[in-house]
Amino acid sequence: MSKWRELLQASEDRGKGLGEVKDILQFNEQVDKVQDWIREKVGKWLASCTY
């Protein structure tokens, strides 16, 4: 029965790790969206500047 508990624990640990990876990926997606938004705004601002 201890092997079964080890398997359950390993599965739980892997699930936690995958959850953390998912959170990191979602964070990176949000960062990408914000960077795109900033680039768009800066581009518009630069285009509106007169030299």
Side-chain angles (χ1 to χ4, degrees):
M1 195 67 163
S2 67
K3 291 291 182 188
W4 179 249
R5 285 190 194 118
E6 287 178 30
L7 178 62
L8 289 176
Q9 185 62 50
S11 175
E12 183 179 327
D13 293 345
R14 176 166 266 200
K16 288 178 185 175
L18 290 174
E20 291 172 5
V21 168
K22 179 184 170 194
D23 291 343
I24 291 168
L25 287 173
Q26 288 175 335
F27 174 79
N28 286 338
E29 287 177 5
Q30 291 298 316
V31 168
D32 289 343
K33 288 178 184 179
V34 169
Q35 287 177 331
D36 289 344
W37 180 83
I38 290 170
R39 276 192 283 277
E40 176 188 340
K41 298 302 177 190
V42 168
K44 287 181 180 180
W45 176 75
L46 288 174
S48 70
C49 292
T50 55
Y51 294 97

